[in-house]
Amino acid sequence: MKIIGIGSAMPSLAVTNEMLSVFLDTNDEWISSRTGIKQRRIISKDSLKELAAQASLQAIEDAGLTPKDIDFILCSNTVNNFVVPAFSCIIQGEIEAACPCMDLNVACSGFMYALFIADSLIETGKAKNILVLCAEEASRIVNWNERDTCVLFGDGTAAVVLTEGDSFKSHHLSAHSKVEPLYYQRKLEYNPFMKNADGDAPLVMKGKDVFKLAVSSSMSDIKTVLTKANLQIDDIDFFLLHQANMRIIEAIRDNLKQPVEKFPHNIEKYGNTSSASIPILLDELYREGKLEKGNKVVFSAFGAGFTSGAAILEWTK
Ligand code: ACO
């Protein structure tokens, strides 16, 4: 499999740390020093659907294809207004594609899982051109009165088009059921046969536990994909890590003993955009001309579950 098209679309509203400190007991100094985030984009006048369609069309155009050439859509999405139909089905209509589509929710690891499924479909000849879309609106699951969580997240969308090729050198996925460190529970409809009604809980996070799980799972995944690809750490040109917290990125970099230039980041501008963070960063690097043919790139993401995944690709676009 190889990447032949990339696109991204971000909400127009940039919310700075100072803007948050107007209604929250927080400040730029705390947020910047603990997370690296200076601002995030939040959906206000835009909609997730419009942005997701825009990112998808941009990726398809960049691939030199039309929506009718896409024969499978995989959408990583944690939350949107619709439980049914799948968000991918809504976007299929928006972009006028005509192929099977499905959603997957693996929280922030969704891009890694979607790439894995896409690779399997392409390798077995079940699909030729696949659109992987990551569309996230975390701003709608956090409690905006909780300074520990709401300052961390942002909204955003990004998409890639994949086809046959041999850019991807290895993948690794993992999942270990650990609900408490990070979850969002929504209230379901009343069922008259139930003893107890469900509760709801806007995003609950044990920050320190997530921090440790993130660093250990990413370290282990990166080592595994290097071994699977028969590569050494120094062979890697770029590590594109899930943009959750600059201190997590720094901790992983320290452990891997790699130079700072190999760890591009944009968390300062966008916060944590869940599964969209790696493809948004990839799109930015690509458009800025920072990726060269032959570069070896590691992707590594982690998220609620606890899930994680990594992949190595050689840049061929
Ligand atoms: N502004 C000001 N003060 C704050 C804020 C805020 N926004 N949030 C928390 N504080 C206070 C706390 O109340 C606490 O005060 P206290 O000492 O009086 O009790 C103090 O700051 C320190 O809080 P800690 O939780 O110890 O801060 P820590 O250094 O652990 O940083 C953080 C917290 C940033 C959440 C960190 O633990 C972290 O990044 N964890 C990883 C979580 C993460 O990245 N989640 C992203 C989503 S998960 C994913 O993408 C997989």
Side-chain angles (χ1 to χ4, degrees):
M1 182 171 80
K2 64 179 178 185
I3 294 176
I4 53 166
I6 321 180
S8 67
M10 303 301 290
S12 54
L13 178 69
V15 174
T16 62
N17 294 343
E18 287 81 6
M19 286 160 79
L20 296 181
S21 65
V22 172
F23 62 92
L24 272 176
D25 180 13
T26 190
N27 53 71
D28 176 53
E29 204 284 321
W30 193 95
I31 303 173
S32 302
S33 62
R34 304 282 176 134
T35 71
I37 300 165
K38 300 296 279 181
Q39 61 174 48
R40 69 287 294 139
R41 298 290 183 93
I42 300 290
I43 289 176
S44 55
K45 291 181 193 136
D46 351 65
S47 75
L48 190 66
K49 185 172 82 175
E50 286 162 9
L51 295 169
Q54 204 181 316
S56 302
L57 288 172
Q58 206 182 88
I60 294 168
E61 194 190 335
D62 186 49
L65 300 176
T66 71
K68 296 282 182 280
D69 299 317
I70 300 296
D71 46 20
F72 212 101
I73 300 174
L74 288 163
C75 175
S76 165
N77 169 260
T78 311
V79 72
N80 75 88
N81 287 116
F82 287 88
V83 173
V84 281
F87 195 63
S88 50
C89 236
I90 296 172
I91 300 305
Q92 187 232 46
E94 287 294 304
I95 64 172
E96 299 183 12
C99 59
C101 43
M102 65 182 261
D103 287 6
L104 61 153
N105 175 356
V106 200
C108 305
S109 309
F111 184 55
M112 305 317 306
Y113 274 68
L115 289 178
F116 184 84
I117 298 170
D119 199 24
S120 312
L121 290 171
I122 289 171
E123 202 175 337
T124 52
K126 303 249 168 23
K128 187 162 177 261
N129 300 316
I130 300 185
L131 176 74
V132 164
L133 165 68
C134 298
E136 301 285 10
E137 195 174 8
S139 66
R140 300 303 298 276
I141 60 173
V142 295
N143 178 345
W144 283 91
N145 297 314
E146 289 270 356
R147 64 180 184 174
D148 326 26
T149 46
C150 72
V151 304
L152 302 174
F153 294 92
D155 303 329
T157 65
V160 294
V161 176
L162 302 144
T163 196
E164 291 156 295
D166 68 350
S167 289
F168 280 82
K169 304 301 175 195
S170 61
H171 295 270
H172 178 69
L173 302 178
S174 78
H176 304 283
S177 181
K178 278 188 178 38
V179 178
E180 284 76 28
L182 188 57
Y183 65 92
Y184 166 72
Q185 197 177 23
R186 69 185 150 204
K187 202 166 180 156
L188 300 181
E189 296 303 320
Y190 172 67
N191 165 353
F193 305 101
M194 281 179 76
K195 278 194 191 132
N196 303 308
D198 291 332
D200 57 351
L203 197 77
V204 175
M205 186 184 71
K206 292 188 180 153
K208 288 190 198 314
D209 292 350
V210 173
F211 198 114
K212 286 179 207 150
L213 282 165
V215 175
S216 60
S217 60
S218 186
M219 291 294 304
S220 148
D221 289 350
I222 291 173
K223 286 179 181 158
T224 305
V225 288
L226 282 168
T227 307
K228 281 187 180 176
N230 202 16
L231 289 169
Q232 304 300 314
I233 188 111
D234 292 334
D235 297 330
I236 303 301
D237 298 288
F238 292 111
F239 295 84
L240 269 57
L241 305 185
H242 170 42
Q243 304 287 291
N245 183 324
M246 202 56 217
R247 283 160 57 213
I248 294 178
I249 298 171
E250 283 297 320
I252 295 167
R253 187 179 75 74
D254 265 10
N255 277 305
L256 294 175
K257 299 189 177 37
Q258 289 290 297
V260 72
E261 314 78 68
K262 288 192 178 184
F263 291 75
H265 52 85
N266 58 11
I267 187 171
E268 57 283 359
K269 287 190 284 186
Y270 301 132
N272 177 349
T273 54
S274 190
S275 71
S277 85
I278 293 176
I280 291 170
L281 182 58
L282 183 70
D283 186 45
E284 202 169 280
L285 295 175
Y286 164 61
R287 283 177 202 284
E288 287 170 359
K290 295 200 173 137
L291 296 168
E292 285 173 19
K293 274 193 181 161
N295 278 167
K296 298 215 172 42
V297 183
V298 163
F299 296 152
S300 171
F302 41 82
F306 204 83
T307 58
S308 70
I312 299 182
L313 80 155
E314 185 173 319
W315 190 249
T316 47
K317 189 168 158 47

